[in-house]
Amino acid sequence: MKKVLLIVLFVTGIACGAAAQNIVLGERVPELKAAAWLNDREPVPAPMTYIEFFHSANPSCLHSVKRLNELTTRMNGRICVIVVTKEDPEKVAQLIGAYQNKRFFIALRADKGFELFGVAYVPSGVLVDPRNRALWMGNSLQFTEKTIEQSTR
């Protein structure tokens, strides 16, 4: 019985790892399609865009959103942040709607985005250039200005 359980866990781990490989650094990422945007505010072009995957069940996601909001202010127009969620729009508006600014946007009902990007955990995200190529990906709590500088060299 233990051997069967171990095999099941191993296969599940491989499947999760494979799902996370949808993004290849330097290659184009899938096109993000949202059913709607919070407050009808769609993203504006920027030199770089950070796509953040969010779920309110993880308290780290709320912390990450706050940090990313501050980052957009410090970077002074050099980066745009898009938070992707598949949760209820009213709940999302209440939790993180106040973080919207002229470079911070919230994609609603973007369920397929999680699948297309192979999101296996949150908070996580992908930094992309204007041609929609992946520059960096990983845990959003490790994403900093220094990460951006190193990724764009």
Side-chain angles (χ1 to χ4, degrees):
M1 181 68 174
K2 288 181 182 180
K3 190 174 187 178
V4 171
L5 181 59
L6 183 61
I7 291 171
V8 169
L9 289 173
F10 179 72
V11 170
T12 303
I14 289 174
C16 289
Q21 296 302 316
N22 289 357
I23 305 301
V24 177
L25 296 181
E27 298 292 322
R28 291 181 55 82
V29 300
E31 185 178 335
L32 179 64
K33 294 182 182 181
W37 297 91
L38 188 62
N39 299 324
D40 294 322
R41 294 189 61 242
E42 293 189 35
V44 296
M48 289 172 287
T49 300
Y50 187 73
I51 303 168
E52 166 79 348
F53 294 92
F54 174 88
H55 196 281
S56 64
N58 185 336
S60 294
C61 285
L62 292 172
H63 180 67
S64 178
V65 163
K66 180 181 178 187
R67 289 180 66 245
L68 290 169
N69 172 269
E70 293 167 355
L71 181 71
T72 61
T73 303
R74 284 193 313 272
M75 298 279 305
N76 196 23
R78 292 183 11 224
I79 191 167
C80 166
V81 170
I82 299 173
V83 176
V84 179
T85 183
K86 48 186 176 179
E87 293 186 77
D88 177 62
E90 291 174 12
K91 181 178 185 178
V92 171
Q94 185 179 34
L95 287 172
I96 62 173
Y99 292 112
Q100 280 189 308
N101 63 37
K102 55 187 177 179
R103 295 288 180 182
F104 190 100
F105 306 90
I106 302 171
L108 300 170
R109 296 187 297 274
D111 300 25
K112 296 220 186 249
F114 280 72
E115 294 172 30
L116 290 172
F117 282 77
V119 176
Y121 63 89
V122 291
S124 66
V126 179
L127 177 66
V128 298
D129 67 11
R131 292 194 210 162
N132 213 28
R133 292 178 305 192
L135 301 173
W136 182 90
M137 60 185 266
N139 184 321
S140 301
L141 295 174
Q142 298 172 349
F143 185 69
T144 64
E145 289 174 69
K146 185 176 180 181
T147 307
I148 295 168
E149 290 172 20
Q150 292 173 340
S151 300
T152 56
R153 288 184 187 162

